[in-house]
Amino acid sequence: MKNLKKIFILLLSLAMVFSLAACSGGSDEGGADDNGGTPDSGTSDDGNTPDDGSGENEGTSGADSHLVSTEFVTQSGANQDGQVDNVVIAMSSTSVNVGPFAPNSPGSVGKSALYGKLFFQPYSGAPIEECIPWLASGYEQIDEVTYRVTLYDYITDSKGNQITADDVIWSGQTSLEIGQFVDYGAGVESVEKEDDYTLVFHMTNTAPNLFASIVCNGNFCIVDQEWYEGASDEERSTDPATTSSYTVAEFVSGSRAVLEARDDYWQTDDALNEGILPAYQNVKTVTYTAITEASMRVIALQNGEVDISPISSTDLGNFYDTATGENLDGWTVLRPAPTYVQAIFPNMSDQSIVGQNLDLRKAIFHALDAEAIMMAAGESTATSILLNAFGNPLYQGYQTVWDEGDYWEYDPALASEYLASAGFEPGEVTVRLLTSSGLYSDSVRSVIISQLNAVGINVENISVEQALFSTYKNDKTVWDLMMDLKGSATGHIANLYSYNFDAANYAEGQDGVNFWNDQGVYDLIDKVNDDPSDANIQEFEQYLRDNAAIMGLYGNSVINVAQDGVTEFGYNGMLEPAACVYADDYVSAGD
Amino acid sequence: MLRFIGRRLLQMIPILLVVAVIIFTLMELVPGDPVRIMLGDFATEAQVEEERERLGLNRPFLERFWEFIKGAVQLDFGVSYITKTSVSDELIERFPRTLKLALLSICVSALFGIPIGILCAIKANKLPDRIALVLTLLCNSMPSFWLALLLVLLFSVNLNWLPSGGIGGAQYYVLPVISSSIGSIAGIARQTRASMLEVIRADYVTTAKSKGLSQKAVILKHALGNALIPIITVIGGQFSFLMGGTTIVESVYSFPGLGLYIISGINNRDYPIVRGGVLYIAFTFSFIMLLIDIIYAFVDPRIRSQYSGKKKKKSKEAEAAA
């Protein structure tokens, strides 16, 4: 028995030594010594970031971007002399896909570097006047909803096919039909070909930025119809004919894709490439490698196995000192301007106790501390901003006046008063909180639940995985409160309003994102879309507040980290590896 | 033997059919709309309906099931809703990786597990046996994701000897193989010990010893051969499990195997991936079990004689009747 005890002690000691040996020093080594590599752009999205379905165009820096810390990046990148041989970019999904009609997801790599669009948006949500012609040589607005677009007549793909107006029309329609470009169906009435290099777009409405959001959209990948229809599935997904500045050199399903700069890129006039980040070729080959686990991406960075990687906000401390606001030695951190809107939605239908009681909704909103929820999500002022309205300060149309007043001030006493006036004693009412376990941690749910409990509102926690969440949130009988994130496809706040509250965008009887069937809000949507003036936007926001129909919490975005030889990120709302700037002596992780 | 193999192969057909029915029905019942996931929040209901129509999700259950069965017979499991790539192609591409990982892991497990088990049996209730028992218990109890992370931190981050993930040369397999093998080594060692202990006490082993045979000869020639059946069963089970994809290990090491593929399909409600993947697992499991039965026959003459015995018995009966 004594021997057995000794053996146990010995084994446990060995296990502890092994664990400590494995765990020690992990954060100090790695990257700093091994960097030298050059990061190239890379991965676009982290797995837990919101996807508004708009591809590259969500969010945007608008007229009022001064409200965001100047340290946040909205656009950057440059064309540099010389090429770095190779950079390795981590991505969070194993569904690696280089096809033109793959969904915009973390696994869909280098879509902008592979497939040209008609115009390039220098920052998310830029109006068409600021967009740079790419495959298009220019445009002309004929009337409020009609635009004539001309194409260069010398566009060829990587297999030598000529791109014409027919290919553009076919590409947009195919992307729509295949289910990857729903905005195209909603925003484009029709497209006509005037001649081989001229098209006329008829838009469905006059919503602000609509035309730009279509012709610059990341899902509007233009390819040659004849090639696509003649290619096998394998060729489409591993060796596509590309119209942008890179082509696919190697593809390993589920693991990596290597993009190689095209020597025969059709646009040889540097002046016409100026500002189009995906047309830059600062790197000869870009390797996208799948690393699904967030912690493993951090390790890969620290170990010098990748040059650039998206990280979660909770890992930021490994690379960035939030107290001083400086990168830690060995790292360059891209903190993009937060483009998403995290919000609490009350179920406004007659199926919910919350929807039937305005004072109860007010009690809930005053009981919630947005800052505490933001911190619980692992965010900080280095990565996020607190919202003062249902909208992001980056969006065009955002009203600075909102930042001067109170917005659902955290006030438990006032919340208790509203609860009483709602007709409930503390502990008498229970609300069902729906959240996605993939998007939000238990800490976020715990904070919300404890804050509501503190004022006497019981909470039934419905935390489900993302797929189920997508289903439940469209079911008015399942939840009373929902936390979700939203974005604006056009970068204009009017778009945020339309997509969330216009019944036309939802199932019959659903009436908006939170089942709010209200003629007042429908009229205001029309009003804002027809005339997105300050007065109309403020009126809409005020209506939301008067009805306690939604509570904006905080805005955030995806953070990327690079080895410190990356001196500047190529970024326009998406990370562009080919437009990052690298130190002269940069040694890539791939070398 | 050939008749036995043929019969077993035929038996696989109803098994796979039942699996197909179950998985197809289950995916129908699981809440979660693949089209909503695919199109995102901002797709209108009309667009969602249109996509459902395009994918054929609006058609009656039986019609879709029949389409699925027809496709499966031709090894065509359809196209992924999310990635738009052929599920069959993806399974075929990932299969060699998973096979390689599983084979390496099971070989390592057997190479270490069986000798450890034999040693424990020979030294039963002595110090080496107790140490080995505790170690195997420890190995069995360690969560594989935890072990995988520790291995990465030690060999990849601190020592910088091995890559932390991905696929490529042999070095990319080392950590996944160790992570997958540790639990199996423990299982095989414990099973080997138990089987060997039973056999070692048998009369024929005592006889062999009394005849003056060396311990090595007694153990390897007389004892081990007779103890192999349950060990092979355990190895077969472990191998089947590994062939189904070691999801956690694959996830930690970003190893693009079948397990990760199927899990991504489940998360996205990507029905073609899940159906194709589950059918593949069912087939692989059945096939490995068949292989194990065949190996039994090679290892144990008694079983071999059963396979051929019926034939002989029938011919004898026929002769008698004549």
Side-chain angles (χ1 to χ4, degrees):
Chain A
M1 195 62 189
K2 260 186 176 180
N3 283 340
L4 201 60
K5 273 184 183 173
K6 282 178 185 169
I7 292 166
F8 265 119
I9 290 166
L10 180 69
L11 288 172
L12 286 173
S13 306
L14 283 173
M16 284 173 66
V17 168
F18 178 63
S19 303
L20 289 171
C23 296
S24 65
S27 57
D28 295 333
E29 301 176 23
D33 293 338
D34 297 332
N35 70 26
T38 51
D40 176 356
S41 99
T43 84
S44 28
D45 288 341
D46 197 352
N48 58 2
T49 59
D51 178 4
D52 65 1
S54 62
E56 298 177 4
N57 298 321
E58 65 267 296
T60 79
S61 100
D64 300 315
S65 58
H66 65 276
L67 290 169
V68 175
S69 162
T70 51
E71 291 176 33
F72 286 125
V73 175
T74 53
Q75 58 185 117
S76 67
N79 203 355
Q80 72 175 41
D81 294 332
Q83 258 183 346
V84 173
D85 276 347
N86 180 36
V87 291
V88 183
I89 315 296
M91 57 186 172
S92 57
S93 168
T94 57
S95 302
V96 187
N97 201 316
V98 292
F101 303 120
N104 255 357
S105 72
S108 169
V109 298
K111 270 181 106 170
S112 53
L114 292 174
Y115 303 105
K117 320 293 177 305
L118 288 172
F119 291 81
F120 175 75
Q121 223 166 6
Y123 58 88
S124 296
I128 189 65
E129 298 80 22
E130 293 184 42
C131 296
I132 306 167
W134 187 356
L135 268 62
S137 58
Y139 80 98
E140 173 195 354
Q141 184 163 5
I142 299 168
D143 60 38
E144 278 191 326
V145 292
T146 313
Y147 298 80
R148 177 179 290 114
V149 174
T150 50
L151 301 175
Y152 289 112
D153 59 5
Y154 51 85
I155 305 166
T156 53
D157 66 21
S158 57
K159 295 189 188 296
N161 304 303
Q162 181 88 16
I163 302 297
T164 64
D166 285 327
D167 296 317
V168 175
I169 295 170
W170 175 84
S171 297
Q173 195 59 33
T174 303
S175 192
L176 168 68
E177 285 169 4
I178 219 161
Q180 300 310 335
F181 194 9
V182 291
D183 294 346
Y184 188 86
V188 178
E189 183 73 46
S190 65
V191 187
E192 292 164 11
K193 168 189 165 186
E194 279 193 350
D195 61 44
D196 276 355
Y197 302 102
T198 312
L199 306 145
V200 176
F201 282 80
H202 300 278
M203 313 306 288
T204 53
N205 62 68
T206 59
N209 280 2
L210 179 62
F211 180 62
S213 76
I214 294 295
V215 292
C216 301
N217 197 294
N219 285 313
F220 200 165
C221 293
I222 296 165
V223 291
D224 180 59
Q225 178 182 1
E226 200 176 331
W227 163 76
Y228 189 86
E229 290 177 345
S232 65
D233 283 346
E234 189 183 353
E235 194 181 351
R236 288 173 189 165
S237 57
T238 61
D239 182 26
T242 63
T243 49
S244 189
S245 60
Y246 280 75
T247 190
V248 180
E250 186 193 353
F251 180 83
V252 180
S253 171
S255 180
R256 66 172 174 269
V258 181
L259 275 49
E260 187 175 38
R262 282 176 65 185
D263 294 331
D264 61 345
Y265 182 51
W266 57 272
Q267 185 55 279
T268 52
D269 186 340
D270 286 344
L272 294 175
N273 278 330
E274 188 61 39
I276 304 173
L277 301 186
Y280 293 176
Q281 296 183 325
N282 294 347
V283 185
K284 194 172 177 186
T285 60
V286 181
T287 301
Y288 289 92
T289 185
I291 304 178
T292 49
E293 293 292 313
S295 58
M296 295 303 288
R297 288 197 292 278
V298 171
I299 286 173
L301 272 169
Q302 293 175 333
N303 213 24
E305 292 176 44
V306 299
D307 294 295
I308 304 178
S309 174
I311 61 159
S312 68
S313 303
T314 48
D315 292 322
L316 183 64
N318 291 308
F319 310 99
Y320 184 83
D321 187 340
T322 50
T324 63
E326 298 202 348
N327 297 329
L328 296 180
D329 281 349
W331 307 109
T332 309
V333 179
L334 170 65
R335 295 181 304 112
T339 52
Y340 303 124
V341 173
Q342 304 278 357
I344 293 281
F345 296 86
N347 181 340
M348 300 290 279
S349 76
D350 54 8
Q351 301 282 314
S352 167
I353 192 168
V354 171
Q356 296 168 323
N357 196 323
L358 174 63
D359 283 339
L360 178 56
R361 296 199 294 274
K362 288 182 176 177
I364 289 168
F365 288 176
H366 280 294
L368 295 176
D369 180 357
E371 188 171 2
I373 296 170
M374 183 180 91
M375 303 298 269
E379 304 285 353
S380 67
T381 51
T383 58
S384 305
I385 48 170
L386 284 170
L387 299 181
N388 293 312
F390 178 54
N392 191 307
L394 285 172
Y395 296 163
Q396 289 179 0
Y398 186 87
Q399 303 294 303
T400 51
V401 67
W402 294 334
D403 298 313
E404 292 157 14
D406 290 337
Y407 180 66
W408 296 120
E409 193 181 1
Y410 172 55
D411 187 342
L414 185 58
S416 298
E417 284 176 28
Y418 273 120
L419 184 65
S421 60
F424 296 108
E425 292 293 321
E428 193 184 345
V429 64
T430 299
V431 297
R432 297 160 296 171
L433 172 69
L434 175 67
T435 56
S436 160
S437 56
L439 281 178
Y440 306 107
S441 65
D442 286 337
S443 306
V444 172
R445 283 179 281 277
S446 299
V447 166
I448 295 174
I449 291 168
S450 62
Q451 286 175 347
L452 291 176
N453 285 345
V455 298
I457 299 170
N458 301 320
V459 179
E460 182 188 331
N461 182 21
I462 307 173
S463 170
V464 292
E465 42 96 22
Q466 187 61 31
L468 202 49
F469 179 74
S470 296
T471 301
Y472 278 0
K473 69 181 177 184
N474 293 312
D475 186 343
K476 66 177 78 172
T477 64
V478 172
W479 54 274
D480 299 307
L481 280 182
M482 172 178 74
M483 185 171 173
D484 198 5
L485 66 149
K486 298 291 175 185
S488 166
T490 64
H492 198 287
I493 203 160
N495 178 264
L496 188 72
Y497 296 159
S498 294
Y499 268 132
N500 286 288
F501 298 108
D502 189 345
N505 290 328
Y506 292 86
E508 193 180 345
Q510 177 161 333
D511 312 314
V513 66
N514 56 348
F515 318 106
W516 191 17
N517 184 10
D518 181 86
Q519 193 54 48
V521 79
Y522 300 152
D523 292 342
L524 285 172
I525 287 171
D526 291 340
K527 205 170 167 182
V528 169
N529 275 328
D530 290 343
D531 175 19
S533 64
D534 289 353
N536 287 345
I537 289 170
Q538 286 175 29
E539 188 183 358
F540 192 100
E541 170 66 23
Q542 192 56 48
Y543 196 73
L544 294 181
R545 294 183 190 200
D546 291 345
N547 288 281
I550 194 163
M551 179 186 181
L553 297 172
Y554 60 91
N556 63 336
S557 197
V558 180
I559 302 162
N560 276 275
V561 174
Q563 311 285 354
D564 69 354
V566 180
T567 57
E568 185 179 344
F569 283 96
Y571 183 76
N572 72 320
M574 293 275 288
L575 188 63
E576 293 293 352
C580 290
V581 180
Y582 305 93
D584 292 339
D585 57 349
Y586 190 73
V587 180
S588 161
D591 296 335
Chain B
M1 178 61 92
L2 283 177
R3 179 176 287 187
F4 168 75
I5 294 171
R7 198 168 60 238
R8 285 292 301 271
L9 285 172
L10 284 175
Q11 281 172 359
M12 280 165 65
I13 294 172
I15 291 172
L16 293 176
L17 197 63
V18 169
V19 170
V21 171
I22 291 172
I23 191 63
F24 199 91
T25 312
L26 275 181
M27 290 309 290
E28 288 293 310
L29 298 175
V30 170
D33 183 351
V35 178
R36 269 282 165 206
I37 296 167
M38 208 167 87
L39 300 186
D41 288 352
F42 297 116
T44 63
E45 192 58 24
Q47 289 165 331
V48 170
E49 279 307 311
E50 202 174 309
E51 188 62 17
R52 283 204 184 102
E53 186 71 35
R54 199 182 67 76
L55 294 173
L57 293 172
N58 284 342
R59 288 183 297 159
F61 174 85
L62 286 177
E63 195 180 321
R64 281 181 291 124
F65 180 69
W66 177 238
E67 283 292 318
F68 168 63
I69 292 295
K70 272 201 301 186
V73 168
Q74 301 165 56
L75 293 182
D76 176 8
F77 298 111
V79 172
S80 158
Y81 295 159
I82 306 295
T83 64
K84 313 293 181 199
T85 52
S86 160
V87 172
S88 303
D89 288 351
E90 197 74 28
L91 289 173
I92 289 166
E93 185 148 358
R94 289 171 184 251
F95 174 76
R97 298 176 197 150
T98 298
L99 179 67
K100 204 167 166 183
L101 178 61
L103 275 175
L104 285 169
S105 300
I106 207 66
C107 287
V108 168
S109 305
L111 277 176
F112 284 91
I114 294 175
I116 291 172
I118 293 171
L119 182 72
C120 288
I122 295 168
K123 306 282 183 186
N125 300 321
K126 294 182 181 163
L127 187 63
D129 180 33
R130 284 176 178 161
I131 291 175
L133 279 179
V134 173
L135 275 176
T136 53
L137 185 66
L138 201 67
C139 291
N140 256 341
S141 314
M142 270 192 291
S144 55
F145 71 90
W146 178 76
L147 177 69
L149 283 173
L150 286 185
L151 290 172
V152 166
L153 287 171
L154 181 60
F155 291 108
S156 189
V157 177
N158 288 349
L159 300 174
N160 209 10
W161 288 352
L162 295 165
S164 62
I167 56 164
Q171 71 271 28
Y172 286 87
Y173 282 85
V174 176
L175 295 183
V177 165
I178 295 174
S179 304
S180 306
S181 305
I182 292 290
S184 301
I185 290 173
I188 292 170
R190 292 174 82 88
Q191 182 59 58
T192 305
R193 178 183 181 275
S195 302
M196 286 294 287
L197 279 177
E198 264 185 42
V199 173
I200 280 173
R201 290 165 193 149
D203 292 344
Y204 60 87
V205 173
T206 311
T207 308
K209 281 180 187 170
S210 64
K211 280 163 69 181
L213 288 176
S214 68
Q215 191 185 31
K216 188 179 168 188
V218 171
I219 295 297
L220 295 182
K221 199 171 176 185
H222 293 273
L224 184 60
N226 287 291
L228 267 181
I229 294 292
I231 299 170
I232 290 170
T233 308
V234 170
I235 291 175
Q238 300 277 12
F239 187 53
S240 304
F241 170 74
L242 291 168
M243 283 302 295
T246 48
T247 310
I248 291 171
V249 169
E250 286 180 8
S251 179
V252 170
Y253 294 111
S254 301
F255 186 89
L258 288 161
L260 214 49
Y261 186 54
I262 295 168
I263 287 296
S264 78
I266 292 170
N267 286 338
N268 292 321
R269 302 292 190 271
D270 201 337
Y271 296 162
I273 291 180
V274 180
R275 290 171 197 150
V278 170
L279 263 190
Y280 151 80
I281 290 175
F283 174 78
T284 311
F285 193 86
S286 306
F287 191 73
I288 291 171
M289 288 302 126
L290 171 63
L291 283 181
I292 289 169
D293 283 347
I294 294 169
I295 292 170
Y296 284 164
F298 282 102
V299 169
D300 192 335
R302 290 167 299 181
I303 297 175
R304 194 161 57 237
S305 67
Q306 280 177 10
Y307 293 153
S308 53
K310 280 181 184 173
K311 195 177 169 185
K312 284 178 186 169
K313 197 176 171 185
K314 274 185 183 173
S315 59
K316 276 181 186 172
E317 283 172 359
E319 277 172 20

